[in-house]
DNA sequence: TGTGAAACTGGCCGGGTGGTCAGGACAGGG
DNA sequence: CCCTGTCCTGACCACCCGGCCAGTTTCACA
């Protein structure tokens, strides 16, 4: 044992592409101080690669709409958003309307849910 | 060019713990066929380790509150939730009030955002 | 020069939302 | 038996929300 300063970092793999997974497993399989996690084992870090991102790009949102969307996700009201952005409530409602239209949502709660689902914003 | 079968796998790092990040970067820094991504570079896979998950279990929500919460995440209004659950709008508002209290949210949008953040619901 | 998109502002209004009172029914534990 | 918790219902009210109408400026592009 002696001085075990590197108690082996355990890595888990979450990779969709089998080829890439094999490749990485082969590369990382024989490195000192590093080990791949067994089934169900707690890992210190996880290597993820979810590429079949059936995401037709992020929807075309303007910068201002993204600002409003981010504050909406924080639970801010139109009045709060207006104050934070230095614009009038009417303008906020205008942008919210565009957001609801583009995100195909029925309300602000639905809007942030949809946006989070398709990765436009991060919760 | 020739046949480059191993065009270097590019790995990105998303690690909260700086020590672990340094350790991994040092280990992976000089491995043939593997390279760490530069800033903004597109990576084939990402190594993630978000540990400080200060999550003391899921908050104690009653079954009815979970029902209401799920429908809220769908963007349903109180009236819709009432119809879907076969209860009155007043009762829905009662449960929504409890949800806002337990989730420490200021509104229904904030509530679903918090719930999604701490894994109570899945978007 | 015209034309369009984006961003911004105003007023108006019906309906939704959140908070606060009040109460009743029903189960489980002291 | 009383108390606690969950679930349910009713009403009231101030405020917010979303949609509608209208207008302005700026800026890029044809």
């Amino acid at each position: 044992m002696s001085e075990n300063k590197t108690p082996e970092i355990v890595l888990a793999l979450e990779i969709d592409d089998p080829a890439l997974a094999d490749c990485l497993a082969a590369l990382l399989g024989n490195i000192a101080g590093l080990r791949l996690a067994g089934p169900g084992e707690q890992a210190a870090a996880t290597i993820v690669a979810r590429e079949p991102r059936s995401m037709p790009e992020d929807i075309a949102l303007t910068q201002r709409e993204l600002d409003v969307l981010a504050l909406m996700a924080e639970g801010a009201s139109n009045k709060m958003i207006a104050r934070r952005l230095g614009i009038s409530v009417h303008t906020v409602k205008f942008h919210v309307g565009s957001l609801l239209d583009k995100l195909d949502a029925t309300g602000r709660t639905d809007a942030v849910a949809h946006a989070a689902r398709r990765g436009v914003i991060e919760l």
Side-chain angles (χ1 to χ4, degrees), chain A residues 82-96:
Chain A
R83 242 194 294 272
R84 199 87 74 84
L85 260 39
I87 58 182
S88 84
V89 181
H90 300 280
T91 307
V92 174
K93 290 166 74 172
F94 171 80
H95 290 304
V96 171

Side-chain angles (χ1 to χ4, degrees), chain A residues 4 6 14-16 21 23 26 28-29 32 41 44 56 58 68 73 81 95 108 118 123:
Chain A
N4 209 338
T6 56
E14 285 187 15
I15 300 181
D16 290 340
C23 194
L28 302 175
E41 184 179 3
D58 23 32
V68 174
I81 297 176
H95 290 304
R108 69 209 284 112
R118 57 185 78 179
L123 290 185

Side-chain angles (χ1 to χ4, degrees), chain A residues 12-110:
Chain A
L13 289 183
E14 285 187 15
I15 300 181
D16 290 340
D17 183 6
L20 179 59
D22 285 351
C23 194
L24 271 176
L27 279 175
L28 302 175
N30 45 9
I31 296 180
L34 208 153
R35 188 167 55 80
L36 293 182
E41 184 179 3
Q42 182 81 359
T46 308
I47 303 181
V48 295
R50 305 232 172 279
E51 34 179 333
R53 270 258 166 275
S54 59
M55 242 256 288
E57 304 291 305
D58 23 32
I59 303 94
L61 297 182
T62 67
Q63 183 56 45
R64 215 49 168 169
E65 286 167 347
L66 288 176
D67 297 340
V68 174
L69 181 58
L71 291 174
M72 272 202 295
E74 304 287 338
S77 66
N78 287 340
K79 186 185 295 182
M80 288 174 177
I81 297 176
R83 242 194 294 272
R84 199 87 74 84
L85 260 39
I87 58 182
S88 84
V89 181
H90 300 280
T91 307
V92 174
K93 290 166 74 172
F94 171 80
H95 290 304
V96 171
S98 301
L99 247 3
L100 297 185
D101 190 34
K102 290 183 178 179
L103 291 173
D104 193 33
T106 63
R108 69 209 284 112
T109 303
D110 204 26

